[in-house]
Amino acid sequence: MLYMHDLWVNWFEGEENGYNICRFHEWRKEDGIELIDQIPLVHVEDELFDFIENDLQDLPLSLLQDIHRRTYMKKNQERVTVEYAAVVTNGKDVIVFDTLGYTLPVKKSRLIPRQERLVFEMVEGKRPEHYNIEATAVKEHHILSLGPDKMSGLTRRERQLKQLLMMALDQLKHSDHPEEIRYWLTEWDPAQYPLIKEMTNEEAWDHLYGGTIQGWSSYHEELCKKLIKGQPFFETIWQGEHHDVSTQHLKSQN
């Protein structure tokens, strides 16, 4: 088995969509960067790589057996054994996962570019290992788990705010005041006010969702800001994306 050493990771926990496992250029100085002392590297087929990157279901038992207790972290100068963790690659992309002792990839990370290049060098010319994926539930995208095409081209901040907007819209749809939907649709598209007045709540909702689901703009941001006003949980997320962030740390490791 191949192994990597002294690996910088930036864990994103409970993420089922690969677009939320941020690439190195989007890492922030306040992220909790950790150092892995030793971890196995597994060359896998495209199907399994996509399954690990873009889902949160049970991993193949044979893979878990192959990597069992082969990873070590350094904590307070002590070497701590990790139950199930690995770097996986399909030869084109790389991801790291840690199951936290479970059977699904709970935590995931990208690598810094220098270590990513090393992965490709280590598996070059080698055939990927075959692991059978058990029958699983078909993954479906929805308002709280948007498809990759809806997040394509957005920055980390924009993705976070778009998810926040979708959470607020979902809450609006299921609120006790559905008549507010037409009000917010008017905020979003005031030129359509004469038509909006004639819409049912369901029609207004479809127009609002259909109009905001694509891309990201200052109009999206303004609507999001207004929608979440007075809601502490949402406002905390908003504020977290509006302070200055830096992606320049750890460049010396690149």
Side-chain angles (χ1 to χ4, degrees), residues 188-219:
W188 170 254
D189 192 2
Q192 297 299 316
Y193 177 66
L195 293 175
I196 294 170
K197 285 195 301 180
E198 306 302 320
M199 290 180 185
T200 64
N201 292 331
E202 291 75 16
E203 289 170 338
W205 162 257
D206 289 343
H207 277 74
L208 183 56
Y209 179 62
T212 55
I213 194 64
Q214 297 296 338
W216 186 258
S217 67
S218 58
Y219 298 106

Side-chain angles (χ1 to χ4, degrees), residues 7 14 17 29 68 101 108 116 137 150 208-209:
L7 218 63
N17 292 304
K29 60 184 179 182
H68 186 224
K108 305 175 192 179
E116 198 172 71
K150 303 298 188 297
L208 183 56
Y209 179 62

Side-chain angles (χ1 to χ4, degrees), residues 21 28 38 69 75 79 84 125 135 160 166 176 199 206 209 212 228 235 238 248 254:
I21 307 157
R28 296 173 176 173
Q38 172 187 296
R69 297 179 68 82
K75 293 190 176 178
R79 211 169 185 235
Y84 301 110
Q160 292 292 322
M166 293 300 122
D176 295 330
M199 290 180 185
D206 289 343
Y209 179 62
T212 55
I228 66 168
E235 286 184 334
W238 173 271
Q248 298 304 311
N254 184 3

Side-chain angles (χ1 to χ4, degrees), residues 231-243:
Q231 301 186 67
F233 174 68
F234 287 167
E235 286 184 334
T236 298
I237 298 173
W238 173 271
Q239 289 161 5
E241 294 302 322
H242 278 78
H243 60 71

Side-chain angles (χ1 to χ4, degrees), residues 64-177:
L64 294 173
Q65 290 171 337
D66 284 349
I67 63 175
H68 186 224
R69 297 179 68 82
R70 292 175 181 263
T71 296
Y72 300 94
M73 302 281 291
K74 279 279 184 66
K75 293 190 176 178
N76 300 323
Q77 304 304 312
E78 291 187 18
R79 211 169 185 235
V80 180
T81 305
V82 178
E83 287 295 306
Y84 301 110
V87 179
V88 291
T89 182
N90 58 356
K92 301 181 284 287
D93 205 351
V94 185
I95 203 160
V96 192
F97 71 84
D98 180 352
T99 72
L100 293 181
Y102 300 101
T103 55
L104 58 161
V106 179
K107 298 197 301 185
K108 305 175 192 179
S109 175
R110 305 291 179 181
L111 293 182
I112 67 173
R114 174 175 57 80
Q115 293 175 330
E116 198 172 71
R117 289 193 296 270
L118 179 58
V119 168
F120 297 140
E121 291 171 8
M122 291 173 70
V123 302
E124 187 175 5
K126 294 181 170 61
R127 295 185 64 177
E129 299 288 332
H130 176 72
Y131 295 97
N132 285 320
I133 302 173
E134 301 297 322
T136 58
V138 177
K139 179 175 176 178
E140 294 183 1
H141 291 288
H142 50 81
I143 189 171
L144 300 179
S145 179
L146 297 178
D149 59 312
K150 303 298 188 297
M151 293 294 197
S152 178
L154 304 189
T155 65
R156 177 176 176 176
R157 174 181 176 276
E158 289 168 345
R159 292 193 304 272
Q160 292 292 322
L161 291 179
K162 188 164 185 176
Q163 287 178 167
L164 176 60
L165 175 59
M166 293 300 122
M167 290 164 63
L169 289 176
D170 185 60
Q171 182 188 73
L172 176 64
K173 183 179 183 181
H174 298 100
S175 75
D176 295 330
H177 305 284

